[in-house]
Amino acid sequence: MGKLRPGPHPLWNLLLLMWTLLSCSLGGSAQGPGEWTLWGSWSPCSSSCGRGLSVRSRRCIRFPREELCWGNTHEYRLCQLPDCPPGAMLFRDLQCALYNGYPVLGSQKTYQWVPFYGAPNQCDLNCLAVGHAFYHSFGRVLDGTPCSPRSQGLCVAGRCLSAGCDGLMGSDARKDHCGRCGGANDSCLSVQRVFRDAGAFAGYWNVTLIPEGARHIRASHRSRNHLALMMSDGSYLLNGNWEVSPPGTYEAAGTHVIYTRATGLEETLHAAGPTSQDLLLQVLLQEPNPGIEFEFWLPRERYGPFQEQTQALDWSLRQPQPRGVKPQPPETPAVPAAISPQTLTPSPDPCPPCPDTRGRAHRLLHYCSSDFGISRAHLG
């Protein structure tokens, strides 16, 4: 008599039954995406100086009938190193120079190569033959190569990508008005107003105090008047001392102030912030004020001290409005203070007696040939 062979283990039968039922319910189709492994560690920076890339990777684990994992196998982030020394060869130049003295184009003739930026794909290694009127593409540039000399983007897998505020290449993450990466503008408040006070005479008039920590500062108007910006020490950054500053970018208070003045009488002032000190926005009136729009964003914890400062100066600034709400003019516009320039040559023309001052924040300055004085509304 033959021996009985042991049957399969009951657990295997159960697993086989479950597999059959699952396959029948899916109709033999794919079973969905696989699963990613954890991200690996970041690689060293691709460059030894300047900007470069660091990369990390992961693997997709799936069964034979499962779909591929959703997402990317590689992730790139920007790494910023100290600037390269003067005279250092640029990364793209170095890649072109690797083909110097080697025959190309199916002949034995050799060439010297330099980068060519006029080709359609800026992430191809397009090199111009020195002394000749043609260029050759040697394939893709290495990852981390700048897309062009003045571009902030870097080439990644043949594509020109920029970094988000999270440092990841190709990321859509942006800082909100409060300076938080990917935020929703909920940790700061917006101060907005249209300054419409006309002023009683030509000269410098206060528009608003811009406190330390302000972000996304803007001011604009259309007239022959000029915006002026005073530092916390009383010196002027823009249009002070009756001198008109040229348009351009000015560095002060820990930020860059972009000042523009168009031929159509439009004048604007922008600064990303955050400011490292208090600033005073003024207007140098030469004609009636048609209105000055200004806006800036403050951290919530700084808005209370800002209100106290403006109340001490007797300026009634409106409450901040949520984004998208059109600001309404104040019911009773405040009379701003007039601040004289530091140095001024009095006019020899006769003028009426100087008016009396009317409070700390409303001290009016009147210059005459006989009596000349300076009054300043202090910021403290």
Side-chain angles (χ1 to χ4, degrees), residues 221-307:
H221 71 103
R222 292 180 63 89
S223 70
R224 286 193 292 271
N225 302 323
H226 294 290
L227 299 173
L229 198 60
M230 178 183 282
M231 309 288 288
S232 60
D233 61 359
S235 62
Y236 278 98
L237 176 68
L238 290 172
N239 297 330
N241 305 322
W242 298 89
E243 295 182 359
V244 178
S245 304
T249 301
Y250 296 79
E251 187 172 354
T255 187
H256 290 87
V257 179
I258 303 175
Y259 172 59
T260 63
R261 187 172 60 250
T263 55
L265 302 181
E266 183 177 8
E267 190 179 45
T268 64
L269 184 152
H270 295 272
T275 54
S276 60
Q277 60 175 273
D278 291 348
L279 299 173
L280 183 61
L281 178 65
Q282 299 178 315
V283 59
L284 175 56
L285 287 181
Q286 303 181 90
E287 64 180 23
N289 173 29
I292 299 173
E293 298 181 0
F294 66 84
E295 176 186 13
F296 53 86
W297 293 72
L298 281 179
R300 287 182 177 270
E301 64 272 15
R302 293 185 180 271
Y303 185 71
F306 165 65
Q307 281 187 311

Side-chain angles (χ1 to χ4, degrees), residues 106-142:
S107 68
Q108 295 302 313
K109 191 171 183 180
T110 61
Y111 303 91
Q112 300 293 308
W113 303 97
V114 294
F116 176 70
Y117 293 100
N121 191 345
Q122 55 188 348
C123 286
D124 282 345
L125 184 59
N126 303 303
C127 303
L128 179 70
V130 177
H132 300 272
F134 69 90
Y135 73 95
H136 182 67
S137 178
F138 292 98
R140 290 180 179 176
V141 296
L142 297 177

Side-chain angles (χ1 to χ4, degrees), residues 328-340:
Q328 301 296 325
E331 296 180 0
T332 55
V335 179
I339 296 182
S340 73

Side-chain angles (χ1 to χ4, degrees), residues 43-299:
S43 70
C45 191
S46 63
S47 177
S48 59
C49 60
R51 295 184 304 146
L53 288 181
S54 182
V55 61
R56 65 179 181 176
S57 61
R58 58 182 178 176
R59 294 186 300 110
C60 177
I61 299 178
R62 64 190 184 96
F63 290 105
R65 304 185 73 177
E66 283 186 324
E67 296 179 4
L68 294 175
C69 299
W70 298 334
N72 298 318
T73 58
H74 292 77
E75 196 171 52
Y76 300 83
R77 71 177 181 184
L78 181 69
C79 47
Q80 186 71 50
L81 300 175
D83 292 339
C84 296
M89 181 175 286
L90 301 179
F91 197 22
R92 190 181 292 260
D93 295 58
L94 179 61
Q95 294 174 63
C96 284
L98 292 176
Y99 295 93
N100 290 345
Y102 289 91
V104 295
L105 305 178
S107 68
Q108 295 302 313
K109 191 171 183 180
T110 61
Y111 303 91
Q112 300 293 308
W113 303 97
V114 294
F116 176 70
Y117 293 100
N121 191 345
Q122 55 188 348
C123 286
D124 282 345
L125 184 59
N126 303 303
C127 303
L128 179 70
V130 177
H132 300 272
F134 69 90
Y135 73 95
H136 182 67
S137 178
F138 292 98
R140 290 180 179 176
V141 296
L142 297 177
D143 289 341
T145 303
C147 302
S148 66
R150 290 169 296 276
S151 172
Q152 292 298 314
L154 297 177
C155 291
V156 178
R159 295 187 301 158
C160 183
L161 301 179
S162 297
C165 61
D166 53 5
L168 298 180
M169 303 301 297
S171 169
D172 294 329
R174 296 292 180 266
K175 288 185 178 180
D176 66 0
H177 286 82
C178 311
R180 295 176 58 188
C181 184
N185 299 326
D186 54 359
S187 63
C188 59
L189 295 173
S190 170
V191 178
Q192 306 174 33
R193 189 188 172 195
V194 180
F195 179 79
R196 299 186 185 280
D197 301 321
F201 58 87
Y204 287 86
W205 290 75
N206 292 342
V207 175
T208 184
L209 178 71
I210 302 175
E212 177 185 352
R215 292 178 180 268
H216 292 271
I217 305 162
R218 67 168 186 85
S220 63
H221 71 103
R222 292 180 63 89
S223 70
R224 286 193 292 271
N225 302 323
H226 294 290
L227 299 173
L229 198 60
M230 178 183 282
M231 309 288 288
S232 60
D233 61 359
S235 62
Y236 278 98
L237 176 68
L238 290 172
N239 297 330
N241 305 322
W242 298 89
E243 295 182 359
V244 178
S245 304
T249 301
Y250 296 79
E251 187 172 354
T255 187
H256 290 87
V257 179
I258 303 175
Y259 172 59
T260 63
R261 187 172 60 250
T263 55
L265 302 181
E266 183 177 8
E267 190 179 45
T268 64
L269 184 152
H270 295 272
T275 54
S276 60
Q277 60 175 273
D278 291 348
L279 299 173
L280 183 61
L281 178 65
Q282 299 178 315
V283 59
L284 175 56
L285 287 181
Q286 303 181 90
E287 64 180 23
N289 173 29
I292 299 173
E293 298 181 0
F294 66 84
E295 176 186 13
F296 53 86
W297 293 72
L298 281 179

